[in-house]
Amino acid sequence: MMMQFLSLSLTHTQLDLSYNPIGTDGVKALSEVLKFHGNINTLKLGWCQIGANGAESVADMLRYNTTISVLDLRANGLRDEGAKCLARSFKVVNEALTSLDLAFNEIRDDGAFAIAQALKANEDVAVTSLNLSNNFLTKFGQSALTDARDHVFEMSEKEVNIFF
């Protein structure tokens, strides 16, 4: 019989489940709870093996959650499909989320284009920091994100720091 241990760090406003293999089912259950409850400001789910389907659950939660301002989804194998799910949630007014970390997720240009379009589509987007480092972006994906950053600044004078 194999035992798994879950490492949980919870402060008043931060929930850190990083490095725990909660997977798609775990993040789906967590997302349902955080959709309408809690006062979590920082949610860390790096290295949790959530995949693209897990990103869909997180994206759905972000449509309703009004408290999470920092979201860490590093190294979850989100790929383009997961990035596209998260991009769709940006199109809904979310005044809380300011920092999103998607580093090490095997995201390519298609995912970058989806995120860029979402940033352009929502003039009220609150995101000011977007980390896409250590993904598989070419100059085309980087250019799309840079154009989106410039568009957001022109429309709202809001700085969006994008790292790749």
Side-chain angles (χ1 to χ4, degrees), residues 5-149:
F5 293 95
L6 180 67
S7 171
L8 171 65
S9 171
L10 179 62
T11 63
H12 293 294
T13 60
Q14 178 176 311
L15 177 59
D16 188 350
L17 292 170
S18 299
Y19 301 99
N20 287 290
I22 64 172
T24 302
D25 292 338
V27 80
K28 183 176 182 179
L30 177 64
S31 294
E32 285 300 314
V33 170
L34 294 178
K35 197 181 276 189
F36 300 109
H37 303 306
N39 63 347
I40 303 295
N41 295 66
T42 300
L43 179 59
K44 294 185 177 186
L45 296 173
W47 294 270
C48 287
Q49 303 173 6
I50 68 171
N53 290 334
E56 188 171 352
S57 296
V58 171
D60 182 53
M61 178 266 301
L62 289 174
R63 289 184 179 103
Y64 302 97
N65 182 281
T66 59
T67 61
I68 294 175
S69 61
V70 177
L71 179 59
D72 178 355
L73 294 175
R74 285 178 289 171
N76 273 295
L78 303 184
R79 302 179 184 251
D80 288 339
E81 297 80 19
K84 289 175 184 177
C85 289
L86 291 166
R88 284 192 292 272
S89 72
F90 289 167
K91 292 181 180 179
V92 177
V93 175
N94 181 322
E95 296 175 2
L97 188 65
T98 58
S99 178
L100 178 61
D101 194 337
L102 298 175
F104 300 98
N105 270 297
E106 303 170 34
I107 297 170
R108 298 182 184 276
D109 289 342
D110 283 349
F113 288 134
I115 292 170
Q117 290 302 312
L119 289 173
K120 287 181 176 181
N122 184 356
E123 292 178 17
D124 296 324
V125 69
V127 174
T128 57
S129 178
L130 180 60
N131 184 2
L132 285 160
S133 63
N134 295 293
N135 282 291
F136 302 127
L137 306 182
T138 69
K139 64 181 178 181
F140 299 112
Q142 292 176 359
S143 177
L145 290 164
T146 301
D147 289 346
R149 179 199 63 206

